[in-house]
């Protein structure tokens, strides 16, 4: 009987066992669904942040951070130039070692950059009751990062790294204290003091700032801070470009304390009668009738060439005293999205030794970009809420809240077209190298910004009048106008052409392709 039972069990098919189901396994709970949706939305907007560092360090492409390039192929090229024979396995081993060294250097450099994020719990921003800038203060935070980087480079150098010995330096803690969120003179670049100048750019507390508005309030706070004689040695001067153009004469006047002499001035004054007496009658008549004649154009070109030559001599042969300068260039490189043709110019700007990066990012989400690798930008993200740092607490003891260890990347094509670039020039030779570099960048077909030797002077346009342009080139339209106004030439306005043009008003100057902010 037992043998028959065992045989029946063996020959019979096994019972179908259904897996035991639980309510969590059948349908995710509402909290799990919300968490999954929130995570998917975050990754769609900001990307997978955990894999950004792996993407950077798994590729052999050079990494550039604020003008410092980390290239793993340099040592390999040295070995190959020395004539040493290396097999494929040895080359691969050396490449892995160089990538590990590069990873440590890039992480140390990235961690040494100052990181400012959202804060909560600071004193109320008068006349409002805001005690946190979460959701609207990201552009101000990124502008603080870029300007703080300029101050650290000015006082501690570009090679400064965050380690145990230098983290406790008094100068480093003094610079960080300037950016704490308190409405006092000890914190000249605090959020409260920046918003004190919000009315100058048409903004209110709680509104999102643009790159140009943020640069303006930074410049105004710097002007207030520089009035203190004790802080002047620690502060460079600040220059902000206008209309996306850097003018050499403005920078030289600011740094070398040189003022334009009358001989090198580009102001085109109206010629006096005494100066015209020695001219031939025909030339005098032509100058009186047509102020915009070829003779004046030739004189204007001569003034421009003389001015360019004189300003180049001022840069090379200026006095020994040369002020360090922070240059801010707010630009807009597109309408709704960035034009991809400008990306090469941005790469070359980040590669300059004088680069401070740039602030920009996505629409209504500002980021601080400090480097790149191939088509990926590396940035610091202020969208993290932290508690406010006590004013009397020593920063030397713990500065972890001012530095970020997570490397984040995004593509160039995802940039918002509105951004602001920053540069720092320490002395005259550094400025000369910077000017030569930006002139080469200006030679690109799509440069991020333009350079000019002399600031244009639009004074006197009311005296000369606007140019009368004949826009009706169609012969039929002209004949139709002649038929409708037969006595126009005989009984019309007999005033000179310049007077008729000035009566119509001054024509607006044509832009050079930039969308003015």
């Amino acid at each position: 009987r037992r043998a028959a039972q065992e045989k029946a069990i063996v020959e019979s098919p096994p019972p179908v066992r259904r897996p035991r189901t639980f309510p969590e396994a059948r349908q995710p709970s509402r909290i799990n669904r919300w968490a999954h949706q929130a995570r998917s939305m975050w990754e769609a907007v900001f990307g997978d942040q955990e894999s950004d560092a792996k993407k950077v360090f798994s590729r052999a492409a050079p990494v550039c951070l604020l003008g410092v390039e980390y290239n793993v192929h340099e040592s390999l090229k040295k070995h190959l130039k020395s004539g040493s024979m290396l097999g494929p396995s040895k080359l691969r081993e050396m490449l892995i070692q160089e990538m590990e060294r590069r990873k440590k250097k890039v992480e140390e450099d990235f961690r040494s950059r100052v990181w400012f994020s959202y804060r909560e719990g600071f004193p109320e921003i008068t006349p409002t009751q805001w005690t946190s800038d979460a959701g609207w203060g990201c552009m101000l935070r990124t502008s603080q990062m870029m300007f703080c980087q300029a101050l650290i480079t000015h006082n501690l150098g570009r090679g400064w790294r965050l380690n145990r010995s230098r983290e406790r330096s008094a100068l480093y803690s003094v610079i960080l204290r300037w950016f704490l969120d308190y409405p006092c003179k000890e914190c000249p670049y605090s959020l409260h003091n920046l918003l004190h100048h919000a009315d100058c750019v048409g903004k209110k507390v709680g509104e999102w700032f643009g790159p140009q508005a943020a640069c303006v309030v930074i410049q105004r706070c710097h002007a207030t801070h520089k009035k203190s004689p004790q802080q002047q040695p620690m502060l460079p001067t600040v220059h902000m470009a206008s209309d996306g153009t850097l003018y050499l004469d403005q920078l030289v006047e600011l740094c070398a304390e040189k003022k334009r002499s009358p001989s090198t001035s580009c102001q085109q004054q109206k010629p006096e009668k005494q100066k015209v007496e020695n001219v031939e009658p025909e030339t005098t008549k032509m100058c009186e009738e047509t102020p915009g004649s070829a003779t004046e154009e030739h004189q204007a070109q001569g003034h421009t060439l003389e001015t360019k030559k004189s300003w180049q001599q001022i840069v090379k042969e200026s006095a020994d005293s040369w002020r360090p300068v922070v240059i801010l260039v707010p630009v807009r490189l597109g309408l709704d999205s960035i034009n991809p043709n400008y990306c090469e110019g941005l790469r070359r700007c980040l590669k300059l030794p004088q680069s401070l990066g740039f602030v920009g990012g996505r629409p209504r989400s500002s980021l601080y970009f400090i480097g790149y690798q191939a088509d990926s930008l590396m940035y610091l993200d202020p969208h993290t809420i932290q508690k406010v740092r006590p004013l009397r607490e020593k920063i030397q003891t713990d500065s972890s809240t001012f530095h970020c260890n997570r490397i984040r990347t995004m593509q160039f094509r995802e940039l918002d077209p509105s951004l602001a670039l920053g540069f720092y020039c320490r002395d005259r030779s550094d400025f000369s190298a910077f000017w030569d570099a930006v002139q080469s960048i200006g030679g690109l077909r799509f440069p991020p910004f333009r350079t000019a030797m002399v600031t244009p002077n639009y004074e006197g346009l009311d005296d000369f009048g606007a140019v009368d342009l004949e826009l009706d080139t169609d012969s039929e339209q002209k004949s139709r106008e002649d038929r409708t106004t037969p006595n126009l030439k005989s009984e019309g306005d007999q005033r000179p052409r310049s007077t008729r043009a000035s009566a119509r008003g001054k024509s607006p100057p044509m832009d050079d392709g930039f969308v003015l902010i």
Side-chain angles (χ1 to χ4, degrees):
R1 187 182 300 176
R2 186 179 302 171
Q5 291 177 356
E6 292 176 357
K7 185 179 180 181
I9 293 173
V10 172
E11 292 178 355
S12 62
V16 179
R17 294 185 179 180
R18 297 180 179 178
R20 187 176 180 183
T21 59
F22 297 92
E24 295 82 4
R26 290 196 304 267
Q27 186 178 3
S29 63
R30 184 177 300 176
I31 297 178
N32 292 338
R33 288 201 307 271
W34 289 349
H36 177 71
Q37 292 176 1
R39 179 175 182 132
S40 61
M41 290 172 62
W42 179 271
E43 292 180 357
V45 176
F46 296 101
D48 190 2
Q49 307 298 340
E50 297 178 357
S51 61
D52 286 350
K54 296 180 182 179
K55 294 177 184 178
V56 172
F57 298 125
S58 62
R59 294 186 292 182
V63 177
C64 183
L65 283 179
L66 297 181
V68 179
E69 186 175 3
Y70 299 94
N71 197 341
V72 297
H73 298 288
E74 293 297 330
S75 60
L76 298 180
K77 290 180 180 179
K78 292 179 181 178
H79 284 287
L80 294 175
K81 289 181 180 179
S82 62
S84 58
M85 300 300 294
L86 300 175
S89 60
K90 186 65 176 177
L91 284 174
R92 179 187 169 122
E93 183 180 352
M94 291 184 59
L95 181 61
I96 294 174
Q97 292 177 359
E98 290 298 326
M99 292 181 71
E100 289 294 330
R101 293 176 186 173
R102 184 193 66 174
K103 178 181 178 181
K104 293 180 181 179
K105 292 181 180 179
V106 172
E107 286 180 343
E108 184 182 13
D109 194 357
F110 190 88
R111 186 172 59 252
S112 301
R113 303 307 113 212
V114 176
W115 173 54
F116 295 128
S117 65
Y118 289 148
R119 297 283 178 170
E120 62 178 0
F122 51 71
E124 295 182 356
I125 302 175
T126 55
T128 65
Q129 298 180 353
W130 287 95
T131 58
S132 175
D133 62 327
W136 55 270
C138 55
M139 180 58 72
L140 297 176
R141 295 300 183 183
T142 54
S143 302
Q144 284 180 330
M145 289 188 225
M146 187 168 65
F147 191 69
C148 185
Q149 175 60 39
L151 296 178
I152 290 179
T153 305
H154 175 68
N155 293 281
L156 301 176
R158 175 61 182 88
W160 179 82
R161 295 293 181 268
L162 181 66
N163 50 35
R164 295 182 179 179
S165 59
R166 294 194 179 186
E167 184 181 357
R168 295 182 175 84
S169 66
L171 193 57
Y172 165 75
S173 60
V174 167
I175 295 175
L176 285 185
R177 191 175 297 277
W178 288 347
F179 293 86
L180 296 181
D181 296 316
Y182 290 94
C184 59
K185 295 183 179 180
E186 298 180 13
C187 309
Y189 306 102
S190 65
L191 193 69
H192 301 72
N193 291 325
L194 292 178
L195 293 172
H196 179 71
H197 303 282
D199 294 337
C200 301
V201 292
K203 297 292 182 180
K204 298 180 180 179
V205 180
E207 293 183 358
W208 193 83
F209 279 62
Q212 187 182 24
C215 291
V216 170
V217 297
I218 286 284
Q219 188 180 24
R220 286 181 173 270
C221 289
H222 171 267
T224 305
H225 188 205
K226 205 170 183 179
K227 293 179 181 179
S228 175
Q230 300 178 355
Q231 307 295 344
Q232 287 186 1
M234 299 177 62
L235 298 175
T237 186
V238 177
H239 173 76
M240 191 178 73
S242 59
D243 302 340
T245 306
L246 284 178
Y247 296 104
L248 182 62
D249 58 345
Q250 294 180 0
L251 290 167
V252 172
E253 283 186 12
L254 186 65
C255 298
E257 301 180 0
K258 292 282 184 179
K259 294 185 178 180
R260 286 179 285 186
S261 59
S263 60
T264 61
S265 177
C266 66
Q267 296 181 358
Q268 301 178 3
Q269 299 179 357
K270 188 176 180 179
E272 299 178 357
K273 294 183 179 180
Q274 297 178 358
K275 296 181 181 180
V276 186
E277 290 178 357
N278 298 327
V279 187
E280 296 181 2
E282 295 181 359
T283 308
T284 307
K285 183 178 180 180
M286 181 174 60
C287 292
E288 291 177 354
E289 291 181 356
T290 58
S293 61
T295 305
E296 292 188 355
E297 291 180 359
H298 179 70
Q299 293 177 358
Q301 291 178 1
H303 281 298
T304 306
L305 294 177
E306 292 177 2
T307 309
K308 289 182 180 179
K309 185 181 297 185
S310 63
W311 282 118
Q312 288 177 353
Q313 290 178 355
I314 289 177
V315 173
K316 294 180 180 179
E317 303 174 2
S318 58
D320 294 336
S321 60
W322 185 275
R323 294 177 180 177
V325 59
V326 176
I327 303 173
L328 305 176
V329 189
V331 293
R332 187 174 182 88
L333 308 179
L335 295 177
D336 297 331
S337 60
I338 189 171
N339 189 340
N341 297 316
Y342 291 107
C343 296
E344 179 60 28
L346 291 178
R347 286 193 192 92
R348 296 179 63 174
C349 289
L350 288 174
K351 205 172 182 178
L352 295 179
Q354 300 84 8
S355 175
L356 297 174
F358 64 90
V359 296
R362 300 179 179 88
R364 300 290 177 176
S365 177
S366 178
L367 307 170
Y368 177 37
F369 298 94
I370 60 175
Y372 73 94
Q373 184 189 36
D375 294 334
S376 299
L377 284 163
M378 306 170 67
Y379 64 89
L380 290 167
D381 190 357
H383 299 87
T384 301
I385 302 177
Q386 301 186 86
K387 292 290 184 180
V388 67
R389 192 68 181 264
L391 181 60
R392 301 305 174 188
E393 184 179 352
K394 293 184 178 180
I395 300 179
Q396 299 95 321
T397 57
D398 182 21
S399 61
S400 59
T401 59
F402 297 103
H403 298 276
C404 181
N405 297 325
R406 177 180 292 180
I407 298 178
R408 300 178 178 180
T409 62
M410 66 175 289
Q411 298 294 318
F412 273 94
R413 63 176 182 271
E414 301 174 6
L415 279 173
D416 187 78
S418 182
L419 51 93
L421 296 98
F423 304 95
Y424 169 76
C425 300
R426 183 176 296 276
D427 49 20
R428 183 175 59 253
S429 61
D430 195 19
F431 176 79
S432 299
F434 164 75
W435 189 256
D436 292 338
V438 296
Q439 279 188 324
S440 64
I441 295 175
L444 296 175
R445 187 177 179 184
F446 294 91
F449 57 92
R450 299 184 182 274
T451 58
M453 291 292 181
V454 182
T455 306
N457 185 11
Y458 298 105
E459 295 181 0
L461 287 181
D462 294 334
D463 298 333
F464 289 114
V467 180
D468 190 6
L469 298 178
E470 293 290 345
L471 299 179
D472 298 329
T473 58
D474 193 4
S475 59
E476 295 181 358
Q477 185 174 0
K478 287 186 178 180
S479 60
R480 194 163 50 245
E481 290 179 355
D482 293 338
R483 287 195 301 268
T484 55
T485 57
N487 298 326
L488 179 61
K489 295 182 180 179
S490 59
E491 300 178 1
D493 192 0
Q494 300 297 330
R495 291 177 297 173
R497 186 176 182 178
S498 59
T499 309
R500 295 198 311 268
S502 60
R504 287 193 300 269
K506 183 173 64 175
S507 62
M510 298 178 64
D511 63 343
D512 55 352
F514 281 88
V515 180
L516 305 184
I517 305 174

